[in-house]
Every structure is written in C-alpha cells, then in structure tokens.
Amino acid sequence: MIEFAAVQKHFGSLHVLADIDLAIAQGEIVVVCGPSGSGKSTLIRTVNRLEEIDAGTIKVAGRDIHAPGTDVNALRRQIGFVFQQFNLFPHLTALENVVLGPVQVLKHPRASAEAAARELLARVGLADKASARPGELSGGQQQRVAIARALAMAPRIMLFDEPTSALDPEMVGEVLTVIRGLAEDGLTMIVVTHEMAFAREIADRVVFMDQGRIVEAAPPEQFFPAPASERAQRFLSWVLRTGS
C-alpha cells in the first residue's frame, strides 16, 4: 500500500530522513515513535507531499507519488491527515468544517454531504455539537471534528501527526478512543505518537526512529518488552520514567 525506498530528505545541512526503507500493507496500523527531532513528522508529511523528498521513491498503491506530473490534489483526496493543532476554520461550525471538503472538492450535493457529516460527527461522539464553532469546543472535541473532517473525504489512508500532543491529559482519552474505532474498520494508518500505552494496544507494527533513520521496526509484543537496539531501550526507559 505504502512503500518507502531509499528516501532522503534534507532541510539545509540537516539530514532529516536518511535511507528510509519501509513497506506498509493495506489495512496495517503503523505507529512511529522516537525522540523529538528524529524525523517522525517529516516522514508522514512526505506521504501526501506536504514535504517533498530529495531522493528515493514513495509509492502509494504502486504509484510513485513524487514522480513529475503526479496529481497532488487527487493524491491528497485519498489520504486523510490529522494535524497536531486541529487546523479547523474558526468561522465555520463543526458541521460546516466537515462538509466543506466533500462539497467544494468532491462536488457532492450539499444535502447528502451534510447527512454524511452528521453521521461522522455522531461517530466521533459529537452529534450534539454540529452547530458549535471551534472556539466553543474543547481541544479534544476540536480534534475529533478534525478527524471527522478527514474521514468525510473517504480516504484510503489516514495519517495522524501527534494527534494528542496539543491536548490536556484529560482530553487525550477521547481522541484515542476514536482512533481505536478507526483501527477496527481496517483503514491503513500511520500514527506518530508519544502515547506508548496506546501504541502497544493499537499498532500492528512499531517503527522507532532516531536522527532521521529507522532504527528498528517490530510488532508491539516484540518491541516493548525487548527492543533490539540500545537506543530504543534508552528511549522506552525514559518514556516510562517520565510518563511522557
């Protein structure tokens, strides 16, 4: 479904992605973890071309998405992206935020788009917040609207970039509950997160990154009790000690 081969990415002299080789199967849930600055967010941002790469290839369903002539808008229509900071339109209601993409981009009739949006808001536990604007919602509620908005485009792939990092601790659980539900639906997902208990529960595979490289990739039942690399061992020890 998603294939990285010898991917390189620089920001000036900083080598943020180095020799990335990774294959993600359809329906697989991959959690990407690692210390700050390890390249996690850059990695997933290359999948829908929010970041370009310098070398190598990334294929989605067999197509080289960074090849010249790629229809980036068409690519993004099949890949949902949920950001750390929600990125909702503040002047629109929750319902209007979810409806916007299907109506403006997919050209769906407004009535059917609104009906589908209400179903999605109900799915993320916000059926009663359709008329609320982002400023009237908690951070956890805003993030759940953002997830509904991404799902409204009927993506084949969902990317989550630290979806709980901007939330107060008591709001984290409600967002993770929604992502658990998506996992049961068989969507292909890449989740960048520091929530290790959640990663252990949801992931089919955990990818650990450091200094722009994939240090190891393993099923959670193998990675968490006995990481193969000394660097991952130190990271997990730190996370467990600090609760970060």
Side-chain angles (χ1 to χ4, degrees):
M1 182 56 145
I2 308 171
E3 301 172 74
F4 300 81
V7 170
Q8 312 286 341
K9 172 69 178 177
H10 295 79
F11 291 135
S13 62
L14 185 62
H15 201 173
V16 292
L17 295 177
D19 302 310
I20 298 296
D21 292 300
L22 179 67
I24 298 170
Q26 184 172 348
E28 188 176 14
I29 302 163
V30 171
V31 166
V32 183
C33 64
S36 296
S38 59
K40 309 182 298 293
S41 293
T42 302
L43 178 76
I44 66 167
R45 289 170 68 90
T46 64
V47 178
N48 70 343
R49 288 189 55 173
L50 288 173
E51 296 288 353
E52 299 296 326
I53 60 175
D54 299 326
T57 60
I58 302 174
K59 293 182 179 180
V60 173
R63 299 186 65 178
D64 182 351
I65 63 172
H66 286 265
T70 298
D71 186 337
V72 177
N73 290 328
L75 172 73
R76 290 175 179 163
R77 285 196 288 272
Q78 60 180 316
I79 301 175
F81 199 110
V82 177
F83 298 86
Q84 298 179 39
Q85 296 292 341
F86 325 138
N87 290 353
L88 299 175
F89 291 104
H91 62 290
L92 300 181
T93 66
L95 182 69
E96 289 165 343
N97 266 281
V98 177
V99 163
L100 191 63
V103 171
Q104 297 294 327
V105 179
L106 301 181
K107 307 303 181 185
H108 289 176
R110 187 167 188 90
S112 62
E114 285 195 2
R118 290 185 187 279
E119 290 181 8
L120 287 169
L121 288 172
R123 181 178 179 182
V124 300
L126 294 173
D128 60 337
K129 299 296 184 180
S131 299
R133 287 181 168 78
E136 301 169 317
L137 301 173
S138 70
Q141 289 170 334
Q142 289 183 61
Q143 191 61 295
R144 284 185 280 156
V145 173
I147 293 171
R149 179 182 60 183
L151 292 173
M153 300 296 287
R156 302 170 64 188
I157 298 165
M158 285 287 287
L159 308 174
F160 295 87
D161 186 10
E162 295 279 13
T164 61
S165 66
L167 303 179
D168 293 333
E170 62 268 25
M171 298 176 186
V172 169
E174 61 191 50
V175 173
L176 296 184
T177 296
V178 171
I179 300 175
R180 286 187 189 97
L182 298 182
E184 295 171 359
D185 290 347
L187 272 174
T188 303
M189 299 197 298
I190 308 177
V191 184
V192 173
T193 185
H194 60 278
E195 300 284 346
M196 292 297 96
F198 176 68
R200 184 194 292 262
E201 173 189 343
I202 198 173
D204 294 312
R205 199 159 30 129
V206 178
V207 171
F208 176 74
M209 294 185 67
D210 187 40
Q211 297 183 343
R213 297 181 181 276
I214 293 177
V215 178
E216 62 180 285
E221 61 270 20
Q222 177 181 326
F223 176 77
F224 286 105
S229 66
E230 187 271 340
R231 182 65 185 92
Q233 292 169 16
R234 284 192 285 118
F235 173 78
L236 284 179
S237 176
W238 178 81
V239 168
L240 293 173
R241 185 172 66 253
T242 61
S244 299

